[in-house]
Amino acid sequence: MSKQETPATVEVRPKRECDVCFGFDDAPRHVVALTGEDVIKITEEQMETFRSNVDLNTSEGARALSSLIDRTTQYRHMDCCASVGCPDGSCYRVRAGVEHLRNDELVAHLTKGA
Ligand SMILES: [Zn+2]
Ligand SMILES: [Zn+2]
């Protein structure tokens, strides 16, 4: 059998907000739960940044907005999470040696198996 490039199964990941840079895309996230004093309030300016990144008329956009307002569950790009201090260190471990990878490249790296 000739080795043909079969397209990898494309897993559609929902677009999400990032609670650090307020971007909106489908790059891998670390979901971080915050409680009590660790909860970081969102500023007007940050909300404005988010609004300019997102079409709030889409269901994804609307969901991301309500999720953004809930500050106790944060979706963070793994590189953003690492930059602000990853609570469990997983973003440092996952990205060790592959700090340049983002989005699909990082997903491919994470899912290629041990
Ligand atoms: Zn981010
Ligand atoms: Zn993290």
Side-chain angles (χ1 to χ4, degrees), residues 54-66:
V54 178
D55 181 357
L56 296 174
N57 293 316
T58 63
S59 58
E60 280 181 330
R63 187 179 53 207
L65 178 66
S66 58

Side-chain angles (χ1 to χ4, degrees), residues 30-72:
H30 184 194
V31 183
V32 178
L34 299 176
T35 52
E37 293 180 354
D38 293 333
V39 177
I40 310 155
K41 289 216 167 59
I42 188 165
T43 67
E44 276 302 320
E45 208 174 315
Q46 289 167 333
M47 192 55 103
E48 218 33 65
T49 304
F50 180 72
R51 283 178 191 279
S52 63
N53 287 335
V54 178
D55 181 357
L56 296 174
N57 293 316
T58 63
S59 58
E60 280 181 330
R63 187 179 53 207
L65 178 66
S66 58
S67 170
L68 186 76
I69 289 166
D70 173 9
R71 304 304 290 158
T72 58

Side-chain angles (χ1 to χ4, degrees), residues 14-18 23-26 29 63-64 67 75 77:
K15 286 189 175 179
R16 291 241 178 237
E17 79 284 10
C18 171
F24 181 63
D25 55 43
D26 64 357
R29 297 287 196 276
R63 187 179 53 207
S67 170
Y75 293 90
H77 289 127

Side-chain angles (χ1 to χ4, degrees), residues 66-90:
S66 58
S67 170
L68 186 76
I69 289 166
D70 173 9
R71 304 304 290 158
T72 58
T73 304
Q74 301 208 327
Y75 293 90
R76 300 170 168 185
H77 289 127
M78 291 185 141
D79 50 323
C80 288
C81 186
S83 73
V84 294
C86 182
D88 64 12
S90 58

